[in-house]
Structures are given as C-alpha cells and as structure tokens.
Amino acid sequence: MPRVPTPVACVPVNPSFHRRASKTLFHTAAVCAAALYTVAAHAQLVEPTELVDQQHCMFCHTSDAPFLAPSFHQIAERYRDKPNANVMLEDKLRHGGKAHWGDMAMPLPADRGGPLSAEDARTLVQWVLSQ
C-alpha cells in the first residue's frame, strides 16, 4: 500500500482572505495592463527638430491649434488609425499636394526647405502621428 504523506501543520485560512487577495491581484493587473496599453498606443516620439526646422513645418503648423494649416494633433487624430495613411502623408511631404483641410495646399518641397528623402518623410510622419 502506498504511503500518503501527512501534513506537518495545517493552518486554517479564512476564505474571504482568498477572495480579497484575488480581487486585489486582478484589479492591480488590470490597471497595469491598461496603463501599459495607453502608454504604448499613444507614445509620443521625440520631435525630429532638425527636420522640422529644415522643412519649415512650424511656418504653417503648430502642435495643438490650427494656424495656417491643421495642428499636428488634428492630423494625428484624422490619420492615426487609417490604413496606409502614412504612405499618403509621406508622399504629400515629398511632393506637395492638394488641400485636404481648407484652401491651403501642402507646398512643394522646393518652397519649404528642399527635397526630402523617403526616410526623412517617414520620420516626420511617424512623429506627427504619435501626437
């Protein structure tokens, strides 16, 4: 016959303790998960200041209020979750484009600081969409 180990000591634990501990642990995990998701989903990238200055972005845009063109926050809100919006925005930065926000079109690169590489356009678009 197999030997069954006997417990050395059994300490009775109040069942309500387990329920409270489980609720607290679940609540803590949920809060942490929500915080991490929020930070990851809306992590604002560091401004590529040299590119922003070179392309004279601030001549028409501001961070949070419309000026001559929409704010970076408005652009991010409109395009952040649209598929392939980054491709359209990168092309608009590199070649200029028609107005989507009123009467003013995106100026040609020659009119705002010179040609822009695909990599630099991608950097600017990623930064704007992170606003």
Side-chain angles (χ1 to χ4, degrees):
M1 188 189 283
R3 186 167 175 216
V4 178
T6 51
V8 175
C10 289
V11 178
V13 177
N14 185 344
S16 68
F17 170 79
H18 285 292
R19 283 192 296 275
R20 283 193 320 268
S22 293
K23 284 182 182 179
T24 302
L25 183 61
F26 177 78
H27 178 74
T28 302
V31 167
C32 289
L36 287 173
Y37 175 78
T38 301
V39 168
H42 299 290
Q44 187 172 348
L45 300 176
V46 175
E47 178 182 315
T49 307
E50 189 175 315
L51 283 172
V52 170
D53 291 345
Q54 173 202 9
Q55 291 295 305
H56 305 295
C57 301
M58 298 301 190
F59 282 18
C60 299
H61 301 275
T62 68
S63 178
D64 56 3
F67 181 52
L68 297 174
S71 72
F72 296 131
H73 287 273
Q74 288 175 307
I75 295 168
E77 285 178 19
R78 180 180 282 187
Y79 294 113
R80 182 180 296 124
D81 297 323
K82 294 201 178 186
N84 299 319
N86 59 327
V87 174
M88 182 274 298
L89 293 170
E90 289 168 20
D91 185 63
K92 193 171 218 178
L93 277 175
R94 294 193 67 210
H95 304 107
K98 65 181 183 176
H100 289 157
W101 295 83
D103 297 335
M104 185 173 220
M106 174 65 101
L108 297 170
D111 297 334
R112 54 164 216 270
L116 191 64
S117 71
E119 183 179 338
D120 287 346
R122 187 172 307 110
T123 298
L124 283 169
V125 168
Q126 287 175 344
W127 172 67
V128 169
L129 294 179
S130 78
Q131 302 296 303

